[in-house]
Amino acid sequence: MEEIVRAEGLRKTFTLSKKQQRIERTGETRRIAVDGLSFSAYRGEIYGLLGPNGAGKTTTLRMLATLIRPDSGDAVLMGHSIVKEPDRVRDIIGFMTSELKLEGFFTPDYLFDFFGMMHGMDKDKLAARKRDLFARFGIDKYAEVPVKSLSTGMLQKVSLVISIVHDPEIIIFDEPTNGLDVLTAKVVTDFLVELKGMGKSILLSTHIFSLVEKLCDRVGVIIDGKLVQEGTLVEVSKGDLETSFFELYHRIKGEIV
Amino acid sequence: MKLLALIKKEFHRFFHDPRLIVTMLLPGIVIFLLYSALGEIIYTEESRDLKVYLSGESNVVAMIEGMIEQNGDKVEWLPLESEETARAAILDGEATAILTFTENFDSFGENASVGIVYDNGSTDGSYFYSLVSSVLIGVGMRFPIRVQTVREDTEVARNFMQSALPFIVICFIFAAGMSVTLESVAGEKERGTLATILVTSAKRRDIALGKIVPLSCISMLGATSSFLGIALSIPKLMGMSFGVFGGYSGWSYLLLFAAILSVVPLIVSVISTVSTLSRSVKEASAYTSGLMILVMVISLVSSFVPSMGNWVFLIPVLNAVVAMQGVLAGGLLVWQTLAAVGINLVCTAGLVFLMTKLLSSERIMFGK
C-alpha cells in the first residue's frame, strides 16, 4: 500500500493564560495537546482518529492542515513536509472543520470560483467541477443564494464542496457529522465512501463509535495527546469498539469519568 | 492570479452591497448639502455693494473687480486719503475694506507687498478678504500680505479653518478606512472566514495585499466623497464663487493628490494590521479609535506650530499634512511632497510585511 501520510513525533504545546490556570486550578503554564504522535495513512483508506474531547485530535488535524506548526516532529503528506513546505501541502489537502466559515454575503457560485482560484485552478476545469459537485449535492438550485440565507444542511454541503474544490488527494475532516441532521450526515458519510472509492485518502477525527465502525479502515486511538493504540478496525474494536475503547481508557486513566 | 482574485473579492463585496456604498458616500453628500444650505442662509442678499479704499495701482485690482462682478456683486473703489478715517468708516459699516499696493507692485520688486484691512465682524468684509486671498494665490503669492482686522481678531479662527483643511482630509481618510477595513479584516477574522482563506495555498503576502490594495481604493473613494462635499460647499459657506479653486495650478493639485494618495494606503495598512492583531471588530475598533485620536493630534500640531523645519517630512502622515498645507498656501513644495510620498509608501510596505508575518502567526490567527 502506498503511504500517503506519515506523521512522526508530532508534539504541540499551548501556553495557559492566567485565566485558564485559575479556571482549571492549576499552576502549570503550558499544556501538552499532542505528545509525540506518530502514525501512517495509506492511499484509498479512511483513517480515523478516535478519542474523547480534548484528547488532541483537532490539534493533530490542524497541524496536518498547516494551520498551526508542531513544536517538534513533522508530517509528510505525499512527499511534502508540513513544516518545510506548508504551501505545497495546502494544495494537496482539503480541510474541513467547523472552525472554518464562509462569508455569508457571497453566493455558493462565487465562493466556489473564488476558492478554486485560490488553489490556482484554471477556469474550464473549475467550471466542470462546479457543475459536477453542485449537481451531486443539489446545490445548483441555490447557487445564487447568499450563503447566509442557506439552511444549515445546505451550508454544510456548500462548505464540503468548497473544501474539495481543487480535487485534493488527501481529505482531512474534523468531526465530519457534528451538528448535522441525519439526512445531511448521511450525504456526507456516503460521499466520504465515494471519495475513498475514487482512491482518495481520508483522515477524520471523531468521538462517535458508530461513525468509525461505519467508515474507517484503520483507527488510531488518542488519549491525552498520545496515540495509545493503532490498527485496523477489526484489530482495535475486537468485536465491539465501544467496549474495547472504554477498557483501554480505564487501563490508561484508571477512571471512566 | 490569486492576488487578483483576492482583490476582486473585496471590490465585489463592496460594490454589490448598497448599504456599504451608501455609508461610504453619504457623509460627503450630507456635508455638501448641509454646508451649502448654511451658506445660502448666511448669504441671502441679492448682491453686495462693496466700498473699498484703494491705495496704489495693480492689475490685480481689475482681477478682483472681475471676480466680484462674476459673483453678481458690485465694488466701488474709493481713494485712500487717511487710513484713520477709512478704518472708522469700516467700523461704522460705511466701507468694506482698505486695499493697499506698494509702488510698482506688478513688477514684483523687492519691496512689493499687499495690505488688507477689513471688518472681520461683517460677512462683506470676510467675503472681500477671502476673494482677495484667492486672487493673490492665483498670481503666485511671491510677496508678503499684511492683513489687519478692525475688530477683536477672529483671524485665528479663520486661519485655523484654512490650515485645518488637510487635517480634515486626514480625518476623512481615517474614518473611511475604518468603516471598511475593520469589517473586512477584523470581521473576517472574528467570523472565521479569514481562516478558510489561510487553508488555501495563497501566500500570506498576497492575502495581506489582497486586503490593503482594494480597501485603500475604497477608502480613497469615501475620503474623496467627504472631501468633495466639504471643498465644494466651502465657497458657498464663505460666500464665494467656485472660481476660488482656479487659484491653484495643475501642479498644486498634482502635489495635493500625491500627498493624499500616499496617506490612504498607509492609514489602511495601519488599520489592517491592528485589525489582524485584534480578536474582534470591537477590540479593533477600540484600538483604531485610539490611533485616530493620535493621528488627529499629530495632524493638528502642524496647524498650531507654523514652521517646524524640514524634519517633519520624515514623520509619516504629518509629512503629508504639512505638504498639503504648504501647497494650499500657494507654495510648490515638490521635493518635500515627494519625500513625504516616499516615506509614507516605505512605511506602507513595512506594514504589509508586518501583516504578512501576523497572518502567518498561529498565536495571532488562532490563539484564544
Side-chain angles (χ1 to χ4, degrees):
Chain A
M1 281 200 291
E2 185 190 350
E3 190 181 57
I4 293 287
V5 178
R6 190 176 72 250
E8 282 180 358
L10 286 178
R11 181 181 164 86
K12 185 72 188 175
T13 57
F14 294 108
T15 305
L16 286 182
S17 66
K18 293 272 179 209
K19 192 178 170 188
Q20 282 171 307
Q21 288 177 37
R22 216 169 36 247
I23 292 167
E24 296 182 22
R25 292 179 183 171
T26 175
E28 62 178 3
T29 53
R30 287 195 81 77
R31 167 73 43 86
I32 300 169
V34 176
D35 193 4
L37 207 72
S38 301
F39 68 91
S40 294
Y42 301 96
R43 181 177 288 284
E45 76 169 12
I46 299 181
Y47 185 97
L49 285 173
L50 177 67
N53 287 343
K57 306 184 297 291
T58 299
T59 304
T60 304
L61 295 191
R62 287 169 82 190
M63 282 192 280
L64 294 177
T66 74
L67 279 179
I68 57 176
R69 275 172 72 96
D71 294 349
S72 61
D74 197 356
V76 177
L77 283 72
M78 294 183 70
H80 302 294
S81 156
I82 59 167
V83 177
K84 294 176 192 137
E85 307 165 274
D87 288 351
R88 299 294 297 274
V89 170
R90 283 181 211 123
D91 261 344
I92 54 167
I93 63 159
F95 182 46
M96 196 173 152
T97 164
S98 58
E99 194 180 7
L100 306 179
K101 302 278 174 22
L102 298 174
E103 190 74 67
F105 171 83
F106 295 107
T107 62
D109 184 70
Y110 185 90
L111 287 172
F112 193 91
D113 289 345
F114 172 73
F115 282 101
M117 281 186 272
M118 284 297 98
H119 285 290
M121 291 179 76
D122 69 67
K123 279 187 178 173
D124 292 341
K125 198 177 168 191
L126 190 58
R129 189 144 174 85
K130 184 161 64 180
R131 263 196 314 276
D132 290 350
L133 286 172
F134 276 25
R136 164 78 175 73
F137 286 93
I139 298 170
D140 35 12
K141 291 192 285 288
Y142 304 93
E144 297 303 333
V145 177
V147 162
K148 65 183 171 210
S149 304
L150 296 175
S151 66
T152 310
M154 186 51 68
L155 177 61
Q156 191 71 11
K157 288 178 189 174
V158 172
S159 300
L160 174 65
V161 299
I162 284 175
S163 70
I164 54 163
V165 57
H166 51 306
D167 198 13
E169 287 303 313
I170 302 166
I171 292 124
I172 302 172
F173 270 83
D174 186 20
E175 304 282 3
T177 56
N178 258 20
L180 298 185
D181 67 89
V182 286
L183 292 175
T184 314
K186 181 164 169 44
V187 171
V188 170
T189 52
D190 286 354
F191 187 59
L192 289 178
V193 173
E194 194 179 317
L195 286 170
K196 176 188 156 186
M198 290 160 68
K200 308 289 184 188
S201 308
I202 296 148
L203 280 166
L204 60 85
S205 74
T206 184
H207 58 272
I208 304 169
F209 298 113
S210 60
L211 191 72
V212 175
E213 286 170 329
K214 185 180 176 189
L215 291 176
C216 296
D217 299 295
R218 293 194 316 119
V219 187
V221 180
I222 303 185
I223 294 172
D224 289 343
K226 292 187 172 112
L227 192 74
V228 294
Q229 193 176 26
E230 190 189 26
T232 62
L233 180 63
V234 176
E235 287 166 353
V236 173
S237 69
K238 295 165 193 157
D240 182 357
L241 182 61
E242 189 171 342
T243 306
S244 298
F245 174 83
F246 284 120
E247 279 175 8
L248 184 64
Y249 192 88
H250 184 68
R251 226 173 25 244
I252 292 165
K253 301 279 284 184
E255 56 184 329
I256 292 296
V257 181
Chain B
M1 185 178 151
K2 289 175 187 175
L3 175 59
L4 196 65
L6 284 159
I7 289 173
K8 275 185 182 172
K9 174 179 158 277
E10 292 303 322
F11 280 129
H12 185 95
R13 174 76 181 87
F14 180 78
F15 287 108
H16 284 76
D17 191 341
R19 282 178 309 167
L20 278 180
I21 298 173
V22 169
T23 52
M24 185 62 83
L25 300 182
L26 201 59
I29 297 166
V30 170
I31 289 166
F32 175 71
L33 294 176
L34 205 68
Y35 280 23
S36 298
L38 209 60
E40 290 293 330
I41 293 165
I42 294 170
Y43 302 104
T44 47
E45 295 160 84
E46 285 289 309
S47 66
R48 293 185 182 86
D49 285 323
L50 308 176
K51 286 180 181 164
V52 179
Y53 288 100
L54 180 66
S55 168
E57 288 179 4
S58 169
N59 292 333
V60 173
V61 175
M63 291 163 75
I64 293 169
E65 195 170 322
M67 207 159 182
I68 289 170
E69 282 170 5
Q70 192 186 320
N71 288 349
D73 301 321
K74 289 176 193 161
V75 62
E76 184 185 343
W77 301 105
L78 307 168
L80 181 67
E81 284 159 6
S82 151
E83 187 164 330
E84 205 177 324
T85 315
R87 275 177 177 264
I90 293 170
L91 268 173
D92 290 344
E94 289 166 10
T96 314
I98 304 169
L99 188 61
T100 54
F101 293 92
T102 51
E103 210 171 325
N104 297 324
F105 172 81
D106 288 346
S107 61
F108 298 130
E110 207 175 296
N111 298 319
S113 70
V114 185
I116 307 168
V117 182
Y118 72 99
D119 182 358
N120 49 332
S122 85
T123 53
D124 281 2
S126 300
Y127 162 76
F128 182 74
Y129 168 67
S130 303
L131 196 134
V132 170
S133 299
S134 63
V135 171
L136 292 173
I137 288 169
V139 296
M141 295 272 280
R142 284 168 290 175
F143 41 79
I145 303 173
R146 291 169 281 109
V147 182
Q148 289 177 50
T149 51
V150 293
R151 294 178 194 277
E152 276 303 309
D153 211 356
T154 53
E155 191 65 21
V156 175
R158 175 168 296 281
N159 278 342
F160 174 78
M161 183 60 203
Q162 285 173 345
S163 60
L165 208 60
F167 159 76
I168 292 167
V169 170
I170 296 294
C171 289
F172 281 142
I173 292 171
F174 211 104
M178 267 179 84
S179 70
V180 285
T181 311
L182 290 179
E183 171 59 24
S184 176
V185 182
E188 279 221 42
K189 187 184 169 189
E190 188 178 6
R191 291 191 295 273
T193 53
L194 193 57
T196 314
I197 298 173
L198 291 174
V199 179
T200 69
S201 58
K203 291 194 183 330
R204 273 43 179 165
R205 187 201 59 213
D206 286 353
I207 297 173
L209 282 171
K211 289 285 180 195
I212 288 169
V213 171
L215 293 174
S216 296
C217 294
I218 294 166
S219 301
M220 187 74 194
L221 190 73
T224 306
S225 160
S226 300
F227 179 70
L228 282 179
I230 199 162
L232 293 176
S233 57
I234 273 182
K236 277 198 165 190
L237 190 64
M238 299 176 82
M240 293 183 290
S241 76
F242 288 108
V244 68
F245 293 108
Y248 297 106
S249 66
W251 276 107
S252 302
Y253 280 109
L254 198 67
L255 291 176
L256 276 176
F257 186 66
I260 293 171
L261 204 64
S262 72
V263 173
V264 176
L266 177 61
I267 287 176
V268 169
S269 305
V270 169
I271 303 171
S272 297
T273 306
V274 171
S275 298
T276 311
L277 274 167
S278 308
R279 290 187 190 89
S280 63
V281 175
K282 201 175 165 187
E283 190 181 327
S285 181
Y287 293 149
T288 41
S289 298
L291 272 174
M292 187 170 180
I293 292 167
L294 181 72
V295 168
M296 283 165 77
V297 169
I298 289 174
S299 305
L300 270 178
V301 165
S302 60
S303 304
F304 290 114
V305 186
S307 55
M308 291 187 283
N310 282 339
W311 61 268
V312 294
F313 290 96
L314 295 172
I315 301 173
V317 181
L318 179 61
N319 53 17
V321 175
V322 175
M324 281 190 270
Q325 283 172 338
V327 172
L328 284 170
L332 277 179
L333 311 178
V334 178
W335 288 111
Q336 291 91 329
T337 308
L338 288 179
V341 169
I343 283 165
N344 289 343
L345 291 181
V346 166
C347 290
T348 304
L351 285 163
V352 171
F353 179 76
L354 178 61
M355 190 176 166
T356 304
K357 290 285 167 200
L358 293 176
L359 287 170
S360 309
S361 162
E362 67 181 66
R363 191 174 64 81
I364 299 296
M365 295 312 299
F366 302 105
K368 300 289 180 206

